[in-house]
Structures are given as structure tokens and as C-alpha cells.
Amino acid sequence: MNFLQLLYPFIQIIVVLKVISFLWLKYFKNNNSNFFVRVLNNYFICWESIFKYKGKTTRVEFWHFYFFDLFLKNLLLFIAGYSILREPHGIFETDVMLRSLSGSYNVVSTLVCIPLIIRRLRDIGKRNKILWFFLSLIPIYGYFIFAKPSFNSDQK
């Protein structure tokens, strides 16, 4: 098994979600009629900017992506046969494919979170992004960092 075969499921998920993001944003980006559409807009905006480290991510975009992604991860884990306690529950007949899909999505969504966190740190006005990135990984402290309002240059 070579390296490209190991990366194939991750590349597939990235390509599929980038295509879905492109199509969703093409038709629904200006439609902010209800809450669910706004959440999906912000979720797909983050997928569109998976490799963009420049720019800023607002507090609403960040939390919409975070909570919807958390919901999808847990839904995929449940469908793959795991409960909240990470023990097989036996409701569904699952195979290795569903479990590998769930694991691959978890890895890829973590890759989306890295530039998202850096753009959020830029939005709240933090200078040393690498230090604050590692500080934001502290479980409770990270939530306080990301909950800060956007930084305006005229505020001192």
C-alpha cells in the first residue's frame, strides 16, 4: 500500500465537500431567510476556504461551523455503530467502510479547523498566531478565546 492509497479517502472527502460547498454557495449564498440556511452557508464557507489562511472569520461563522461539524461528526459516529461512550451499540449493521468514512471525515474536518482558528485569531486581534493557536487547544480556555468579539483597529 503506497502513500497515495492512504490519502485517497481524505482527498475524496475534500473534493466532494468542496463541490457541494461550491454548488450550495452558488445558489444559496445570498439567501439568509432562516437560521438553518445561515448555518449551512457558514459551514460551507469554511469548507470553501479550507486552504486560505489570510482573511478573517467572524464569531458567528466560527461557531456555526463548529457546532454543525460537531453534530455531523457525532451523527457519522452513531451511524458507523458507536454510541457516545464509544462502544458499539448494534443498532445498525455496519461495516468497515462506514467506520473509515467517519474517521476520514474527522481527520479532514480537523484540517479545516486549523486555518479557521488562525483566521478567527486574526479577527480578534491576536498577533502571535502560533502561540495563540496552541493556547486555544486548551479545552475550556479555547472557548473563551473564540467567544471574544471582533477587534477593530480603532479600539485600544
Side-chain angles (χ1 to χ4, degrees):
M1 193 175 226
N2 62 14
F3 184 69
L4 192 57
Q5 288 176 333
L6 289 174
L7 288 179
Y8 187 68
F10 305 115
I11 294 169
Q12 275 184 322
I13 291 175
I14 290 172
V15 168
V16 166
L17 283 170
K18 290 275 287 181
V19 168
I20 292 171
S21 300
F22 173 75
L23 293 174
W24 177 272
L25 293 174
K26 182 177 179 182
Y27 294 109
F28 294 105
K29 186 169 186 168
N30 295 326
N31 182 8
N32 289 326
S33 59
N34 62 19
F35 177 73
F36 188 68
V37 172
R38 285 191 307 259
V39 169
L40 284 176
N41 280 343
N42 290 329
Y43 177 76
F44 288 129
I45 284 171
C46 292
W47 273 103
E48 275 292 308
S49 57
I50 184 174
F51 300 115
K52 296 178 185 170
Y53 288 88
K54 301 223 181 235
K56 296 181 179 182
T57 299
T58 65
R59 183 170 34 178
V60 173
E61 287 176 4
F62 178 82
W63 289 112
H64 281 175
F65 176 82
Y66 180 80
F67 286 122
F68 192 74
D69 186 56
L70 187 67
F71 170 75
L72 279 180
K73 284 179 184 179
N74 287 321
L75 181 67
L76 283 173
L77 282 173
F78 181 75
I79 291 172
Y82 291 101
S83 67
I84 294 173
L85 302 173
R86 303 274 189 203
E87 297 174 3
H89 55 67
I91 293 175
F92 302 108
E93 280 291 323
T94 60
D95 59 353
V96 177
M97 189 67 154
L98 284 173
R99 291 181 185 198
S100 66
L101 173 70
S102 175
S104 299
Y105 178 77
N106 285 335
V107 169
V108 171
S109 69
T110 303
L111 293 176
V112 173
C113 286
I114 294 170
L116 181 71
I117 289 171
I118 290 173
R119 288 192 311 265
R120 180 70 191 127
L121 290 172
R122 184 175 289 119
D123 185 51
I124 60 176
K126 301 298 181 191
R127 298 229 184 243
N128 190 348
K129 310 287 184 297
I130 295 172
L131 172 68
W132 282 101
F133 175 79
F134 286 113
L135 286 175
S136 70
L137 297 177
I138 298 171
I140 302 297
Y141 185 65
Y143 296 135
F144 288 113
I145 292 173
F146 299 133
K148 291 180 74 173
S150 297
F151 178 77
N152 294 329
S153 60
D154 57 334
Q155 292 178 348
K156 296 261 175 160

